[in-house]
Amino acid sequence: MNTPVLLEVKHLHFSFDGKHPVLTNISLPVLDRDYLVIMGPNGGGKTTLLKCMLGLLKPDHGTIRYHGMSTRDFGYVPQFTTFDKQMPIRVHEFIESGLIASYHPFKNRILDKDGLVEKQLEEFSLTPIAYAAISEISGGQLQRVLLARALIQNPKILFLDEPTTFIDPESRGNLSLILQKLNKTLAIVMITHDTSAIDDHVKNIACINQNLYYHGKDEPLESSLVKVYGCPIELIGHGMPHRVLKEHE
């Protein structure tokens, strides 16, 4: 039986100025309970594609179809580099802001009737730092806070933009375990330039550098990695004890 498609990108082209293409003829499915890694070098168009999929950017040509859902069904974890850790907000309040659709204008606050914030704090082991300022917590803790906020309304697809950047090896391992658990009930799309972010639980891989090369988990990556990175690449990841490394031509 075929796995249902949740989101489908077809023949997408994008440029910021109408002259210099950032993405060319991109076609890509996101399947039900997919674990898709979109990887490529910095400047290759990964984040631009993500923003198109989220509905934040409009492509020049091509289509993005959402099957049985809308962008309200998406959870999003941004890059650390785009997140202001100095914002004057506490962990509890930041996670609560994910419920902005429940804002009550007359009471001037978000109504959390089901105690979803407390559930997220407990689920992600954040209760001890619930009232700490965002600026006071570690990178690994911040990653869990961002996840808790993104997941508070039970999205169907979780998008993560460079989630392994600026966190230590222990936090990376914890993130891998969290994503493995989440993938039992929702689809995951991870954007990364880091080949080591591909672990044994990834189901599909797309390599991108303006053009895109889509792979099932067990298909060889060697030729696509050389194409998108422009040089030989060493691939080492959890559950992938081999290396892909070629000599420069």
Side-chain angles (χ1 to χ4, degrees), residues 33 36 68 72 159 166 172 188 190-191:
R33 301 187 190 183
L36 169 66
R72 287 178 175 267
F159 293 90
F166 302 122
R172 283 188 177 211
I188 293 171
M190 179 192 295
I191 303 293

Side-chain angles (χ1 to χ4, degrees), residues 29-127:
V30 178
L31 307 176
D32 184 34
R33 301 187 190 183
D34 205 346
Y35 193 151
L36 169 66
V37 169
I38 301 175
M39 63 184 302
N42 291 327
K46 302 184 303 296
T47 296
T48 300
L49 175 58
L50 175 62
K51 289 181 177 179
C52 287
M53 294 166 79
L54 290 168
L56 301 175
L57 291 176
K58 183 179 179 180
D60 299 333
H61 305 287
T63 60
I64 301 175
R65 293 184 59 193
Y66 309 131
H67 295 270
M69 61 180 184
S70 70
T71 54
R72 287 178 175 267
D73 295 304
F74 298 161
Y76 172 54
V77 176
Q79 290 187 38
F80 272 33
T81 53
T82 63
F83 181 81
D84 183 9
K85 275 197 70 174
Q86 301 307 312
M87 66 171 64
I89 191 170
R90 301 189 183 278
V91 168
H92 186 285
E93 296 166 335
F94 180 75
I95 295 173
E96 185 181 53
S97 69
L99 294 171
I100 192 64
S102 301
Y103 180 77
H104 195 293
F106 298 111
K107 296 188 177 181
N108 197 31
R109 64 185 180 89
I110 293 172
L111 296 182
D112 182 12
K113 296 179 181 178
D114 299 318
L116 296 178
V117 175
E118 297 300 329
K119 290 176 183 177
Q120 292 298 87
L121 287 167
E122 183 176 350
E123 174 69 21
F124 288 94
S125 303
L126 295 168
T127 303

